[in-house]
Amino acid sequence: MNLPVYIQIDLSTRKIRRFQIDKKMFERFIGGKILAAKLLYDMTRPGIDPLSDEAMIIVNTGPANGTGAPSSSRFNMSFKNLMTGGIASSNCGGNFGMMLKKAGYDGMILTGKADEPSYIEILDGDVHIKNAQHLWGMDTEKVQEEFPAHYGKIVIGPAGEHLVHYAGVLSGERVAGRCGAGAVFGSKNIKAVVAYGTKRPEVYNKEKLDRHVEKWVHFLQSHPMTGTSLPKYGSAGLVTKANATNALPTKNFQRGFYEKAEEISGETLADTKLIRNMGCVSCPIRCERRVKVYDKDVKGPEYETVGLFGANVESADLDIINEINYIADIMGMDTISLGGTIAFAMELKERGIADFGVDFGETGNIPEIVRKIAYREGIYSELANGSKWLAEKYGAEDAAIHAKGLELASYEPRKSVGMGLGYATSNRGGCHLNGGYLALLESVGVLSTDPLETKGKPELTVLMQNAMEAVSGSGFCLFTAYSMIPSILFRLGPSHWITKLCGKVLVWVWPVLGIIWKFMPWILPFNSMFLLPHAEAVKQITGIKMTTGRFMQLGERGYNVERLYNYREGLTANDDSLPGRLTKVPQDKNPKSVVRLDKMLPRYYKVRGWKEDGSPSKTKLWQLKIFS
């Protein structure tokens, strides 16, 4: 078994330590965000400032990274969340993770603060901290051009240097956007980390892995979601689906339907703006959009950016959305928190509370405002702190759309109540992915369970959260998990009686699902291409006896470690909440069109094996062997 090798760098003392993850830790926590959460919990004390010298940021890979498994060119960043005060993780594509591994390391841990603007160079195992004064002030595009093209790179832009709370880190044009990773790097005076190496990752059984990968790639390419919809329209193809189910946030989540949604849809983007599509290294899905901005061929917007800078600010201008997306990338900012904060600022002006020069439906000045936020110019320095901070200063908390301090993604939970539960319980805050992405089963997927029904949603949320945690921790893109929904349902369509029946069955069987979690490793002692092919890949890569049941338990273990970290930092059941607009004000005349957390949370905690205060019970920790 090839055990992961990590490097720890104290930037204050410039001391470098190499160490290996022991076998028991590796088998239980694998890598990625799961292993990083355990390391962060064990190696940091409670209550530290996320921008302090003693704060830690972990950049690591999963076992699949660099092995040729589909969509496995991912890396993870874990640190104390600048937006919530709890745990943060941000998953990213690009080529840095692969190059870090080829350079001889599975992960990197940074502490301390460099005494001058610096960058870290990792070349075939050798590590150097170098002066980056000449790079400071550059945008993310220009700074990457300063290094050889074949290097793996992660860099920050002006937003990270100026400690914008939702500043991100870029690798190529891929963004580790959420929770403030860019600001953490900026606080440590680190402008970039570059890596290059020639080492090939070891694989336990390469012959079996290659056979599995060949079948898996064919499976992904033949699936209607990962083989047709995502390559053809990208994630922006969800715009019309969300709008059709009243789940597309409009005017700062005041509504769920936008009359001009078709003008900003993935279909319209493909027909009028798309140059070509691309994909991350080793990805057969190829969902990336390429568009023209300032006569440059650049990465186009994802669904979240289109939704939050389209319907949610009442704009139907794709050119402006593309421009905002590009500027946010080169400035180094998360477009979800950026979009949510600007929409809240628009509502503050509409209510006559505060004027930041932004108005619903008028987005021509937004590109310039995005630059001003990145540099914290004048009043725009306030927008750089996020919507929770703004609400604490100006009021209107009901309209600050966040969970735990992190702005919600582009799914209106009043017409997707399971997604609302996921937002509220997500360990990193208002995240659709860490929240379990139940919108896929309620509002934007073909398998539409009743989006207003609360029964069964706690069980399904736990299922999806655990599955996505395991997929991410192993080093895979979460889009590869979309194929869990059977192809035949896509071909039948959402209106077919079989599809509708399957949606109802998922809700009806909730008592059984609650029992299954307790015996998951024994109930699913096999691997299947039709459920989570990732488990078999991990088995052949590592030699660990991984089954689908153990894979799901791996995800559960990771989710509980993250929850432990949050609880240690003071986040309890009281923080599993949403703004009043979403829990008290019906979206339409149907009184059920609110997120009934009061009905779902108690059951969710029970299914999770947590106590009423939201903390994992001693029995649950013992079952998952988190500390033994």
Side-chain angles (χ1 to χ4, degrees), residues 16 47 77 149 187 206 213 231 249 252 310-311 349 417 432 443 479 485 510 543 563 566 589 607 613:
I16 299 170
M77 293 186 178
S187 73
K206 191 174 187 308
V213 167
N252 195 32
K349 182 178 181 182
V417 299
H432 58 303
S443 56
F479 280 2
I485 299 178
W510 63 268
R563 186 71 178 196
N566 280 359
K589 293 181 180 179
V607 173
D613 64 358

Side-chain angles (χ1 to χ4, degrees), residues 221-476:
Q221 291 180 334
S222 62
H223 193 279
M225 187 68 177
T226 53
T228 302
S229 180
L230 282 171
K232 192 172 183 179
Y233 302 120
S235 62
L238 298 176
V239 169
T240 51
K241 295 179 180 179
N243 200 51
T245 55
N246 290 306
L248 182 66
T250 304
K251 198 176 184 183
N252 195 32
F253 283 73
Q254 293 183 38
R255 307 190 307 274
F257 181 82
Y258 185 44
E259 295 80 0
K260 298 180 180 180
E262 184 61 40
E263 297 178 37
I264 56 171
S265 67
E267 292 83 351
T268 299
L269 179 66
D271 290 342
T272 64
K273 307 297 178 185
L274 185 68
I275 299 172
R276 56 197 167 93
N277 69 322
M278 287 183 63
C280 294
V281 182
S282 82
C283 181
I285 299 174
R286 302 185 66 79
C287 66
E288 180 186 327
R289 315 283 85 195
R290 303 299 300 181
V291 299
K292 283 277 188 183
V293 176
Y294 305 145
D295 290 326
K296 292 182 177 182
D297 179 343
V298 302
K299 182 200 73 180
E302 301 286 345
Y303 165 74
E304 309 301 334
T305 308
V306 173
L308 295 171
F309 280 105
N312 206 42
V313 295
E314 294 196 311
S315 169
D317 192 328
L318 267 179
D319 287 326
I320 293 292
I321 293 172
N322 287 341
E323 185 180 3
I324 292 170
N325 183 65
Y326 174 66
I327 294 173
D329 280 357
I330 64 172
M331 292 293 104
M333 279 189 285
D334 168 32
T335 56
I336 297 178
S337 283
L338 175 67
T341 300
I342 288 176
F344 179 51
M346 289 177 173
E347 185 158 347
L348 288 177
K349 182 178 181 182
E350 187 175 69
R351 292 190 183 188
I353 297 173
D355 188 353
F356 292 93
V358 290
D359 299 272
F360 287 114
E362 299 178 15
T363 56
N365 64 336
I366 298 299
E368 183 58 30
I369 287 174
V370 171
R371 294 182 188 272
K372 290 180 178 180
I373 292 172
Y375 287 96
R376 284 189 174 271
E377 292 184 10
I379 60 171
Y380 298 104
S381 182
E382 294 189 351
L383 298 189
N385 296 328
S387 56
K388 181 184 178 184
W389 187 96
L390 285 176
E392 289 172 350
K393 178 173 182 177
Y394 294 104
E397 286 86 353
D398 63 304
I401 310 299
H402 67 83
K404 298 183 177 71
L406 188 69
E407 286 74 16
L408 267 57
S410 190
Y411 302 90
E412 222 287 20
R414 287 178 294 182
K415 284 300 177 75
S416 188
V417 299
M419 187 70 265
L421 175 64
Y423 281 141
T425 57
S426 167
N427 289 317
R428 72 171 181 171
C431 173
H432 58 303
L433 298 173
N434 192 230
Y437 198 28
L438 221 63
L440 188 65
L441 306 181
E442 293 179 311
S443 56
V444 297
V446 67
L447 189 60
S448 296
T449 62
D450 185 342
L452 302 182
E453 178 58 68
T454 58
K455 290 181 180 179
K457 297 304 169 64
E459 288 79 5
L460 289 173
T461 299
V462 170
L463 167 70
M464 295 292 283
Q465 286 174 338
N466 290 350
M468 291 199 165
E469 194 82 355
V471 169
S472 184
S474 302
F476 297 99

Side-chain angles (χ1 to χ4, degrees), residues 552-599:
M552 290 293 291
Q553 189 179 61
L554 168 68
E556 182 183 17
R557 187 176 296 118
Y559 216 84
N560 275 266
V561 174
E562 290 183 340
R563 186 71 178 196
L564 280 173
Y565 184 97
N566 280 359
Y567 187 75
R568 187 184 76 175
E569 299 302 320
L571 296 174
T572 68
N574 291 331
D575 298 289
D576 293 335
S577 61
L578 293 172
R581 170 167 292 167
L582 305 177
T583 59
K584 299 176 182 178
V585 182
Q587 190 196 84
D588 51 35
K589 293 181 180 179
N590 187 342
K592 292 180 66 177
S593 61
V594 292
V595 183
R596 293 295 306 273
L597 292 175
D598 58 328
K599 284 184 171 293

Side-chain angles (χ1 to χ4, degrees), residues 485-531:
I485 299 178
S487 299
I488 188 172
L489 298 181
F490 282 90
R491 297 188 176 96
L492 293 175
S495 300
H496 196 279
W497 69 268
I498 293 179
T499 309
K500 290 182 177 180
L501 179 62
C502 288
K504 291 182 181 297
V505 168
L506 273 180
V507 175
W508 291 340
V509 300
W510 63 268
V512 177
L513 291 176
I515 296 172
I516 286 176
W517 305 150
K518 298 179 182 179
F519 306 100
M520 183 67 73
W522 298 275
I523 291 176
L524 297 174
F526 57 85
N527 291 327
S528 169
M529 186 64 67
F530 298 97
L531 192 51

Side-chain angles (χ1 to χ4, degrees), residues 42-118:
D42 290 346
M43 298 174 71
T44 59
R45 68 172 181 84
I48 61 174
D49 183 332
L51 297 180
S52 67
D53 291 4
E54 65 177 315
M56 174 182 290
I57 185 164
I58 300 172
V59 184
N60 69 342
T61 63
N65 194 283
T67 64
S71 307
S72 61
S73 63
R74 314 291 299 181
F75 65 93
N76 166 74
M77 293 186 178
S78 290
F79 49 96
K80 187 169 185 181
N81 197 321
L82 208 61
M83 306 295 285
T84 72
I87 199 165
S89 62
S90 193
N91 194 281
C92 189
N95 68 342
F96 178 78
M98 291 181 63
M99 279 303 172
L100 179 65
K101 211 162 190 175
K102 286 187 174 183
Y105 300 107
D106 297 271
M108 173 183 70
I109 302 174
L110 298 182
T111 57
K113 179 178 181 178
D115 57 7
E116 62 183 0
S118 304

